[in-house]
Amino acid sequence: MIWLLAAQLVVMLPFLFDLPLWLLPVLLLVAWWRLRVLAGAASQPGNVVKLLLIGLGVGGLLLSGLRFPSLDAMATLLLLGFAFKSLEVVQRRDAIVVIFIGYFLVALHFLYTQSLMAALYGMVSMVVLTGALVGVQQAITEFSTGQSVRFNLRLAVFMLLQCLPLMMVIFVFAPRIAPLWSIPLASGQTQTGMTDRMAPGDIEKLGKSDELAFRVTFKGKRPAQHELYWQGLVLNHFDGHEWRQFDRDYDVYQLKTALMSHYRWQPERMQVQGNPVAYEAVYETSGQPWLFTLSPAVEVEGDVLRGADYRVMAQEALQAPFLLKAVSYPATQRDVALPEYLRTLALGLPSTGDKRSRELAQRLRGEAGGEQAYIDKVLARFHDQAFEYTLNPPMLGGRDTVDAFLFDSKRGFCAHYAGSFVFLMRAAGIPARVVVGYQGGEWNAAGQYLAVHQYDAHAWTEVWLAGRGWVRVDPTTAVAPSRVEQGLEVAVQAEGSFLADSVLSARKIPWLNGIRQQLDTVQYGWRRWVLGYDREEQAALLKSVLGDLSVGKVALFAGGLFAAIGLFWLLALGMAQRRQPEAPEHRLYRHFCEALAKRGARREPGDAPGAFAHQAAEHLPALAEVIREFTQVYEGICYAPPADGRVATRRLKTLLGKIR
């Protein structure tokens, strides 16, 4: 039972990060009750108590607010059964049922996280469960408790290591197919990162987080830092306070319908030019469908959707790491002839509000004359009138936020500058839109990849100009050019606000930062080569090994590997059977004979313990009593085992110490 309770604790602990915390006290209560039953201080629960426990568990599940059916609800229900089952373990069959449920739960946890640390913890859980299975199936009475634990764990590790070659072959050769069924995840689960709306104060919240957003490996030359604009969403609708994609909110399924109908991607509207940038990106779990690419991504490999604003979007919200391969042409001209629908979106403004900003736009537009001159004039205003770039901007209220920023506070983050710039463009009759995503990233020299974090979140704009199409304009560069050239940390260095709320962040401690990057390199390798091993990677690997692929060639190669694994198992099992473990009393007697041999009393192979003791006592009279007692205790263990062999073994160790 102690093995089972330990295995239950190990298996259930990682679920507490994702499921209700009251599961832990339930497990501890069940363990306490079961230990009292073992000690004779309590009785097995009756049917009435079992029904009451089931009712309380289901009631707690309902009060937790988990949606049913969902992954969280099903996992919580299974964990309750896993915990309660130990209360009625009487026969070996009951214990095996508990252990097999534990194996299933180890696999289930990978639906929540597929990180390298989760995989290592899963291996530890498998060892403990297998050790419990060994302990349930056999008990060696000669072993002490500590010896039994060590023996069971060693055997569990040995058994799992034997499975390793088979696991690797199955991983490499098993077809990569989509699941036949799925359980919906809980609503709003693990939603992090960029959202589909932007109000003053939203993006700076991300700027205070050092969580990873995605990693990128470039297949050629890495673009310069100021060219790394990772587009995610385009925000067209402004209601006077916040920017959204459209004038109404869409869920993921409605948005997919819109993208495939009136807002679909039309590649013929691009005039591809310039040098390509090929890369692979691995996006972290976010609970959002947004993917971030260098715009425009002309070639994309992956199950994605494309939009008229050149976005790339996953089919579903990301509840697992997602690999995307893309080729972008940043110098491409887009929408040189602007469709009327997009023009209407890019000119929309509220009918009232922000009067001072509208008047400013009309005045500057009249002074400038041309569109490019007007853009330059607005950027010059940001630069010349002491606007400040800060992670801690003041509140602007709920109305006339553009006026409050442009004329009163003049302190803001990238969202303030992008939103007010687009407002001024539209007020002057120039199509413009807000783009949100990430800018820059941290280069990892050890792993040769770019790590983009939440603090790299950024907002910029696109302005449509006749003959040029959509042109990127980043008004933040007029105030804080270091933000784009060197990153957020340098841009806000003077005010000391970078990760101010994360005092213990490894990013801020130099000696920890190096370790963090090394660990991140290992984690990225896991993401890229294990979690990213899809059908394309599988085909490429097999082709590199076998050349031209055919069913017969793959089957023959896989069959050979399976045969090699079978031979390996036979050899491993044969060697294991030849190596019988030496009992502790025999090991101590061997050390006893070796110690006496150093003193001149050598035992011949045919000498019985009693005869040898007599000869050794005559040769070493000073140790005669110790020699006789050691031999008596040893013979007693061998021929008349005592009730508690540990006491006799300890006595042998004490006597051996006197001889040495």
Side-chain angles (χ1 to χ4, degrees), residues 306-329:
R306 313 289 293 275
D309 51 16
Y310 301 93
R311 76 173 67 193
V312 179
M313 173 180 152
Q315 294 277 358
E316 305 291 343
L318 301 185
Q319 299 295 350
F322 185 89
L323 173 66
L324 179 75
K325 302 176 182 179
V327 179
S328 297
Y329 288 79

Side-chain angles (χ1 to χ4, degrees), residues 568-590:
F568 167 77
W569 281 348
L570 291 175
L571 293 174
L573 290 174
M575 289 186 291
Q577 289 177 353
R578 285 196 296 271
R579 293 195 301 269
Q580 297 295 334
E582 187 178 19
E585 63 271 15
H586 298 324
R587 184 178 68 254
L588 291 172
Y589 186 74
R590 178 166 52 82

Side-chain angles (χ1 to χ4, degrees), residues 237-240 347-355 358 400 423:
H237 181 71
F238 182 59
D239 62 4
L347 287 173
L349 282 178
S351 58
T352 60
D354 296 300
K355 182 179 179 181
R358 296 174 192 267
D400 296 333
F423 187 95

Side-chain angles (χ1 to χ4, degrees), residues 30-107:
V30 170
W32 171 78
W33 191 342
R34 187 61 193 179
L35 291 175
R36 283 178 57 82
V37 172
L38 290 177
S43 59
Q44 291 280 121
N47 291 333
V48 175
V49 176
K50 291 179 182 178
L51 289 174
L52 180 61
L53 288 174
I54 293 174
L56 290 175
V58 174
L61 180 60
L62 295 175
L63 292 175
S64 298
L66 300 178
R67 185 166 58 91
F68 191 87
S70 68
L71 176 62
D72 284 355
M74 303 295 283
T76 303
L77 196 59
L78 184 59
L79 286 167
L80 282 173
F82 184 56
F84 289 156
K85 182 63 180 176
S86 64
L87 284 176
E88 60 174 9
V89 172
V90 177
Q91 300 177 355
R92 178 180 298 173
R93 178 179 59 84
D94 299 322
I96 293 176
V97 169
V98 173
I99 293 172
F100 280 13
I101 294 175
Y103 284 130
F104 184 80
L105 285 170
V106 171

Side-chain angles (χ1 to χ4, degrees), residues 44 104 107 156 169 217-218 255 266 298 306 375 377 453 532 563 578 581 588 643 654:
Q44 291 280 121
F104 184 80
V169 171
T217 299
F218 295 98
L255 184 58
Q266 299 179 32
V298 177
R306 313 289 293 275
I375 294 173
K377 208 168 188 64
H453 299 83
R578 285 196 296 271
L588 291 172
T654 302

